[in-house]
Amino acid sequence: MSIDHVLMFRLTLYWNIKTVLFLLCPVWIIYEQVMIAALDCSRDDLAWTCLQELKRQFPGSQRVKRLAGMRLEALEKYEDASKQYDSILQDDPTNTAARKRKISILKAQGKSVEAIRELNEYLEQFVGDQEAWHELSELYINEHDYGKAAFCLEELMMTNPHNHLYCEQYAEVKYTQGGLENLELSRKYFAQALKLNNRNMRALFGLYMSASHIAASPKVNATVKKANVKYAAWATNQINRAYQVRYASSKRNEMDSTFQGDD
Amino acid sequence: MSIKLTTQAYCKMLLHAAKYPHCAVNGLLVAEKQKEKKKDSHSTPILCVDCIPLFHGTLALAPMLEVALTLIDTWCKENKYVIAGYYQANERTKDFRPNQVAEKVGARIAENFSEAAMIMVDSTRFTMGCYEPILAIYDHHENKWKCRDCNADCFEDWCEAQKITSALLEGRSYESLIDFDNHLDDLRNDWTNPEINKSVLHLC
């Protein structure tokens, strides 16, 4: 469902619930979600209404203060938003939400280097924040600092060993870094991602690409070359099967001609 | 050696950017393969007849980009097209300069097609009404990308492009647009977007 649908659904729900279960239902969580959805859709009128209701119900709440800061961010009033978050942090220096919003402001202003620095400092104190590690890996990838992006993804893989998406993204970063050693690592992690989820097409394509590149490299010996040719051939088969199963036969012919030609 | 865009190409580019307003998006532009190589190529501009949306979110990773370029290249050969350009819309609205990814992919395309163009979408002027073209077109000259003004001349038919793009945006057709990322999530998703092509043709 798109953000608009969420917004409309929540609005309808909100109006129905408000009249009947005002005191009993956790309607305030809905107010919060509708407000954030409204900010995403540039509906400042609606966001303001929700914020007023929340302020009335929870005066002096840090959580509501953060929402007020988010509204200022949406209006691009970054200095005012920053002051809002600073006041939250003055009362509660451990408030992670306010610190992360300050980093988001830096990102929105295009200050990637500062955002990376602040996020690193944040992670020194809050090592377990997975959302932050993932955000940092994305910031590093956008700055083309693939080594550091890989480090962040390694942290995520350690705490989420069964998540095939982190494995696969780590493999992509290693592949992009380049060099024979990184290509071999990339192939291994694509294979691991496939082991965790055998329907991950990116992992399958990645396995084919990395094995093919290793086999084509002049630096490898005949044994390694032979093994990688085998892996690439296996991946080709799996890709063709996947397309046969889910796709019309016209597309299958396209895949056949693309991948059988390369080896 | 300039390029022109058809309505279909422009539409799909903008629909892709509209579908993911919170992400960077990129894609390729394809033109019909010229049968004869004319020595005097200044007269006829290259017409980009279609656009293939590629990715949204993180654009700076290589493997899936290489897969996409390979598959699309094969599709182009079968349909007598050639990859003629690359477009990108950055994550931040106010950032519409080409970055390293855009320059690298653009250079790669230019190796195979000398008149390749790079297009950056200017999201600050992106409206539902599409009253003006919001692209910045970069041509490859002597290993550098030079910006050219984009006006109605860069389109096969600007009035038609403006009307149809606006209509499709109002009708939320972007929700059914498929990019290569969506195809990798589910192979049944067709990145040639036949349904949207039909809608464009229907409105023409």
Side-chain angles (χ1 to χ4, degrees):
Chain A
M1 282 206 288
S2 74
I3 289 169
D4 303 326
H5 290 137
V6 170
L7 184 57
M8 292 322 295
F9 170 73
R10 293 291 186 194
L11 268 177
T12 323
L13 204 58
Y14 153 62
W15 288 118
N16 289 335
I17 288 176
K18 192 183 176 197
T19 51
V20 180
L21 299 165
F22 193 81
L23 292 168
L24 301 173
C25 210
V27 66
W28 305 108
I29 291 180
I30 295 176
Y31 269 107
E32 187 182 31
Q33 289 178 359
V34 169
M35 186 194 159
I36 294 175
L39 292 177
D40 276 333
C41 295
S42 291
R43 285 285 308 275
D44 186 51
D45 52 330
L46 185 56
W48 180 250
T49 313
C50 293
L51 186 60
Q52 294 316 301
E53 294 288 324
L54 283 162
K55 273 184 177 167
R56 201 173 304 152
Q57 184 67 18
F58 305 101
S61 154
Q62 305 287 42
R63 191 162 160 177
V64 176
K65 260 188 173 173
R66 172 197 148 225
L67 290 173
M70 282 174 76
R71 181 183 158 268
L72 290 167
E73 276 188 72
L75 295 170
E76 294 188 64
K77 293 179 179 166
Y78 296 122
E79 293 214 7
D80 295 334
S82 202
K83 282 188 192 140
Q84 184 84 337
Y85 299 134
D86 283 334
S87 86
I88 298 176
L89 287 168
Q90 223 168 8
D91 294 333
D92 177 13
T94 66
N95 190 309
T96 57
R99 276 186 80 165
K100 288 198 277 190
R101 286 319 311 170
K102 286 192 72 173
I103 295 168
S104 304
I105 291 176
L106 290 171
K107 193 177 169 193
Q109 293 173 312
K111 296 176 180 168
S112 308
V113 176
E114 288 95 331
I116 288 175
R117 192 188 57 224
E118 293 290 317
L119 197 42
N120 267 305
E121 280 178 26
Y122 169 84
L123 280 166
E124 272 169 36
Q125 292 181 12
F126 301 97
V127 178
D129 190 332
Q130 297 185 23
E131 182 190 49
W133 279 114
H134 201 243
E135 184 63 44
L136 187 57
S137 78
E138 278 183 22
L139 285 170
Y140 276 131
I141 289 170
N142 287 331
E143 293 297 305
H144 306 285
D145 194 342
Y146 298 108
K148 299 210 176 95
F151 179 83
C152 298
L153 287 163
E154 282 163 12
E155 288 287 329
L156 287 167
M157 285 196 295
M158 272 203 304
T159 44
N160 303 276
H162 299 294
N163 187 324
H164 64 105
L165 297 170
Y166 291 148
C167 267
E168 182 254 302
Q169 200 171 22
Y170 180 74
E172 286 198 50
V173 169
K174 282 292 166 193
Y175 182 104
T176 311
Q177 249 184 311
L180 190 59
E181 222 179 275
N182 286 325
L183 270 177
E184 293 204 314
L185 256 180
S186 141
R187 190 202 68 224
K188 289 177 187 171
Y189 278 91
F190 277 128
Q192 177 65 7
L194 265 179
K195 202 166 135 188
L196 293 169
N197 178 358
N198 62 6
R199 290 193 291 181
N200 186 330
M201 282 309 292
R202 287 182 181 79
L204 196 48
F205 275 118
L207 180 62
Y208 169 79
M209 297 296 287
S210 46
S212 301
H213 276 296
I214 295 170
S217 166
K219 296 181 194 167
V220 297
N221 61 39
T223 329
V224 173
K225 189 182 166 92
K226 197 171 165 193
N228 280 282
V229 166
K230 212 171 69 173
Y231 303 144
W234 179 84
T236 308
N237 264 328
Q238 296 298 309
I239 292 169
N240 284 331
R241 268 176 66 183
Y243 272 92
Q244 277 167 28
V245 166
R246 297 187 199 181
Y247 226 38
S249 57
S250 57
K251 280 296 176 187
R252 185 191 75 187
N253 292 334
E254 174 193 304
M255 289 302 304
D256 280 342
S257 58
T258 310
F259 286 93
Q260 280 167 17
D262 281 356
D263 297 328
Chain B
M1 285 172 283
S2 52
I3 65 155
K4 275 194 178 215
L5 297 169
T6 58
T7 299
Q8 185 167 297
Y10 185 65
C11 257
K12 282 157 86 169
M13 234 194 297
L14 260 60
L15 288 175
H16 192 205
K19 187 179 181 186
Y20 299 106
H22 58 292
C23 291
V25 297
N26 66 359
L28 300 174
L29 293 160
V30 297
E32 279 176 356
K33 197 161 188 175
Q34 298 293 312
K35 284 182 185 160
E36 294 154 21
K37 273 190 185 173
K38 296 180 188 157
K39 279 185 185 172
D40 175 26
S41 50
H42 296 296
S43 45
T44 39
I46 313 288
L47 185 64
C48 287
V49 296
D50 204 357
C51 133
I52 298 166
L54 286 179
F55 303 108
H56 56 270
T58 313
L59 307 182
L61 292 174
M64 297 306 120
L65 181 60
E66 287 183 22
V67 171
L69 286 170
T70 311
L71 281 181
I72 291 167
D73 203 41
T74 310
W75 175 81
C76 280
K77 288 193 170 86
E78 287 173 6
N79 293 279
K80 302 216 174 24
Y81 286 144
V82 65
I83 298 179
Y86 169 82
Y87 73 87
Q88 184 171 305
N90 288 328
E91 189 179 2
R92 289 179 52 239
T93 327
K94 294 182 177 163
D95 178 16
F96 45 83
R97 305 232 36 175
N99 59 11
Q100 210 179 55
V101 175
E103 292 189 358
K104 275 197 177 150
V105 182
R108 178 93 168 263
I109 294 171
E111 278 171 26
N112 290 330
F113 186 75
S114 51
E115 289 108 18
M118 184 199 343
I119 294 183
M120 298 300 294
V121 180
D122 180 0
S123 307
T124 51
R125 295 182 289 152
F126 197 159
T127 58
M128 293 293 272
C130 300
Y131 299 116
E132 49 169 357
I134 59 170
L135 310 177
I137 301 182
Y138 291 78
D139 298 310
H140 203 216
H141 285 304
E142 295 153 18
N143 283 330
K144 286 205 182 125
W145 291 98
K146 292 214 175 103
C147 187
R148 175 166 41 102
D149 268 334
C150 180
N151 48 34
D153 289 334
C154 300
F155 297 86
E156 192 185 28
D157 182 344
W158 166 245
C159 290
E160 181 191 72
Q162 183 268 315
K163 272 199 303 236
I164 293 180
T165 310
S166 180
L168 289 178
L169 283 170
E170 297 277 348
R172 294 156 83 137
S173 298
Y174 48 79
E175 288 174 2
S176 57
L177 183 92
I178 302 293
D179 64 8
F180 204 79
D181 254 336
N182 301 137
H183 175 72
L184 291 172
D185 291 333
D186 184 345
L187 293 182
R188 288 169 296 189
N189 291 327
D190 188 350
W191 43 263
T192 59
N193 289 290
E195 292 304 318
I196 297 205
N197 293 344
K198 269 189 222 155
S199 311
V200 172
L201 223 62
H202 180 68
L203 288 168
C204 272

